[in-house]
Amino acid sequence: MSNENKIEIEKEIEIEMEKENEKTIEIEKEGSGEESKGEEENEKKTEKEKEGEEKKKGPTKEQLEQIKKKVQEREAANEPKFIKGVDFSSFDIEDYIEGYQGHTRMDRLLFIAQRSEIHQQKALKMFIEEVKKTRNIQKYRKIVEKYSDVLQDEKGLDQKWIDKTLKDSASTYDVLETNLKKAKENVNQEGIRDGNLQLGHFYFGKGDLKSALKYYSRAKESTNDPVEIVNCCLSAIKTAMEGKSYSHISSYLNAAQKKSEDLELETNGILRTINGFLSITSREFKTAAHQFINAPGKKVFEYPEIFTSLDIGIYGGFLSLATFNRSELKRNILDNEYFKNYLELVPEMRDIIYNFYESKYADFVEGLEKIKPQLLLDQYLSSHVERLYTRIREKAIIQYFSPYLTLDMKKMAKDFGTTLELIEIELSNLIAEDKLAGKIDQKNKILYGTRINKRSQTFQEVLSFGKDYRRKTRALLLRANLIQNKMTVKRPRKKVMMGGENMNFMNMQLLNLMRGFN
């Protein structure tokens, strides 16, 4: 069998495994033979016919097994890994997941199962309970088969539920399609919008995100009512977030925000919060922090199909701590009466921010470590936690040292809950990156601050300003002198070759002008 045939067979098998995860795969390939030309081809005719018959039969079982094994190895390489070195025993999965609904609830449970080994079995069982409330047979089958060794207490696939769901889905689709057809025949715009919206919900429940987005888009185009347009956009945003299609999220978010100016403050708050999630994915953490802390109104709100009110407090507080300076933290967080309502729902984050601002570093570091497991199991923050934690620690170290000229590094290590060796490494990195002005006495383990001579610094800044001002003034006077003598230099559209005499003449004219100016 040729290499081209093997590649085509492998592609077909991968597509079938991704769509239905079928246990048996039938691959049909048409054998192709070339017409014989010449005496040599006639002699090999029988051999080519045999090869054609082999191609028609398809790959052998051994070849199929090898291809399946390669696909499984590729999937295993991309499989999310458990987070090591973190104690997740204090994490309460039931309390954490309580406020979420729908697909977001399932996604968060599955994320926890893929990241925390001690919570995997419980998270998967809760996921199966949730997925059975939907029509998503494909996802149910995929997870049950994939984690069959973890779900030992389960009896395997619930075929009765699958058959019942397939039957209900077929009848529901017929009803929805009939209703939409009647609305189109009667030119009922409201009925057309509702029909498209319901079909979007139907496909979203099945896990067919592409079809769901298509019907949500049609529903949005079928109405001019701002409230209905925003509702259609929110449904499309949920679908796009499920599929991690960030371009669609941005597009529908912009469309919703254009129509939300005259709507309730809660709707605008929901859109700002979703914008915050989008900013996190693009690593615009400070922008995301502003979106979360400016989303709240006078009344506490949430959108449980995407986020809870606790999320606003956690995301807003944590990102602000990582990106705001001390004055911004006080103005935007501590003095923000509306955001305080959400921060009070998460007392751990509230205490961390207050301890940081009041320079209670031991309590601050302890609280930060306690909340870390929850942040690592959050599907939006998990990949950014270590980077943001490093940034927060750097800010805390710089703030800790700012009042001192000399500092005992042993005391500093104790306050930050780390070893002397690790705090020395952190300080060395900060000094090397010019984030901290100081020197380390490695023998006595003392950090010495280097103070900048402000008088000398001011004098140098004035000299630099004077030189810059002189250069700009000379340039302006030279330009005025050129204009007065009716000389202009224009960039030619095409490259023009000039003789040496002409070029020398122009250079001499410019030189004479400059000498006269001087």
Side-chain angles (χ1 to χ4, degrees), residues 266-415:
E266 182 176 330
T267 303
N268 284 284
I270 291 171
L271 296 176
R272 285 197 200 98
T273 305
I274 294 171
N275 209 347
F277 285 109
L278 192 61
S279 297
I280 291 175
T281 59
S282 58
R283 298 185 179 183
E284 298 173 359
F285 300 121
K286 191 164 188 176
T287 302
H290 280 292
Q291 294 289 353
F292 286 114
I293 64 177
N294 292 325
K298 296 180 181 179
K299 182 181 177 182
V300 174
F301 69 90
E302 60 184 7
Y303 193 59
E305 294 180 348
I306 297 179
F307 63 88
T308 66
S309 54
L310 276 71
D311 286 336
I312 297 177
I314 291 173
Y315 290 119
F318 181 62
L319 295 175
S320 298
L321 197 61
T323 57
F324 290 172
N325 58 37
R326 190 177 179 83
S327 59
E328 288 175 329
L329 202 63
K330 186 178 188 305
R331 182 174 65 255
N332 295 315
I333 301 295
L334 303 181
D335 295 340
N336 188 334
E337 295 298 328
Y338 295 149
F339 185 72
K340 275 185 179 180
N341 295 329
Y342 293 86
L343 206 56
E344 291 295 328
L345 299 174
V346 195
E348 301 90 349
M349 184 59 68
R350 177 201 62 198
D351 293 341
I352 290 170
I353 294 173
Y354 274 96
N355 288 331
F356 176 81
Y357 186 78
E358 294 173 1
S359 302
K360 298 178 180 178
Y361 296 103
D363 295 335
F364 159 74
V365 172
E366 183 182 354
L368 207 58
E369 289 301 317
K370 281 184 178 179
I371 204 171
K372 190 173 184 179
Q374 180 177 340
L375 299 177
L376 285 170
L377 294 179
D378 184 280
Q379 60 179 346
Y380 295 102
L381 288 177
S382 181
S383 59
H384 310 297
V385 167
E386 295 298 340
R387 184 185 300 106
L388 294 174
Y389 259 62
T390 300
R391 190 181 297 185
I392 292 170
R393 280 184 67 87
E394 287 178 352
K395 287 174 60 179
I397 290 171
I398 294 169
Q399 181 175 298
Y400 182 95
F401 180 61
S402 60
Y404 301 101
L405 285 173
T406 59
L407 182 65
D408 186 354
M409 291 166 56
K410 296 177 183 177
K411 181 180 183 302
M412 191 176 191
K414 182 179 179 182
D415 288 342

Side-chain angles (χ1 to χ4, degrees), residues 117-134:
E117 189 172 7
I118 63 173
H119 293 104
Q120 186 180 53
Q121 188 178 47
K122 187 173 184 178
L124 287 173
K125 288 182 178 180
M126 294 175 71
F127 171 85
I128 291 172
E129 291 177 3
E130 291 298 322
V131 78
K132 281 188 174 183
K133 298 175 183 178
T134 70

Side-chain angles (χ1 to χ4, degrees), residues 49-60:
E49 288 177 354
K50 291 180 180 180
E51 290 179 1
E53 290 176 358
E54 289 178 359
K55 291 176 182 178
K56 288 180 181 179
K57 290 179 181 179
T60 62

Side-chain angles (χ1 to χ4, degrees), residues 365 393-394 396-398 400-401 407-431 436 440 445-447:
V365 172
R393 280 184 67 87
E394 287 178 352
I397 290 171
I398 294 169
Y400 182 95
F401 180 61
L407 182 65
D408 186 354
M409 291 166 56
K410 296 177 183 177
K411 181 180 183 302
M412 191 176 191
K414 182 179 179 182
D415 288 342
F416 278 87
T418 186
T419 62
L420 182 61
E421 290 76 13
L422 290 177
I423 200 69
E424 185 175 346
I425 292 172
E426 288 185 271
L427 290 170
S428 300
N429 291 335
L430 289 173
I431 293 170
L436 183 67
I440 297 175
K445 302 301 178 183
I446 294 175
L447 176 64

Side-chain angles (χ1 to χ4, degrees), residues 195-216:
N196 283 312
L197 197 60
Q198 292 302 320
L199 277 167
H201 295 336
F202 172 78
Y203 280 111
F204 181 59
K206 282 187 67 177
D208 188 348
L209 305 182
K210 185 176 180 180
S211 297
L213 278 174
K214 179 179 71 174
Y215 281 102
Y216 286 140

Side-chain angles (χ1 to χ4, degrees), residues 64-123:
L64 284 173
E65 289 298 326
Q66 289 178 357
I67 294 170
K68 286 181 182 179
K69 187 177 180 181
K70 289 181 180 179
V71 173
Q72 290 172 355
E73 288 176 354
R74 193 181 298 115
E75 289 180 350
N78 297 327
E79 182 70 17
K81 302 294 190 297
F82 289 130
I83 299 173
K84 302 294 184 180
V86 180
D87 183 12
F88 291 110
S89 59
S90 61
F91 179 75
D92 189 341
I93 188 172
E94 292 179 349
D95 185 54
Y96 172 79
I97 209 68
E98 183 181 5
Y100 300 103
Q101 296 177 6
H103 285 244
T104 296
R105 186 181 178 93
M106 291 191 298
D107 290 343
R108 288 183 179 267
L109 284 169
L110 191 57
F111 187 87
I112 293 169
Q114 293 170 340
R115 296 302 192 281
S116 174
E117 189 172 7
I118 63 173
H119 293 104
Q120 186 180 53
Q121 188 178 47
K122 187 173 184 178

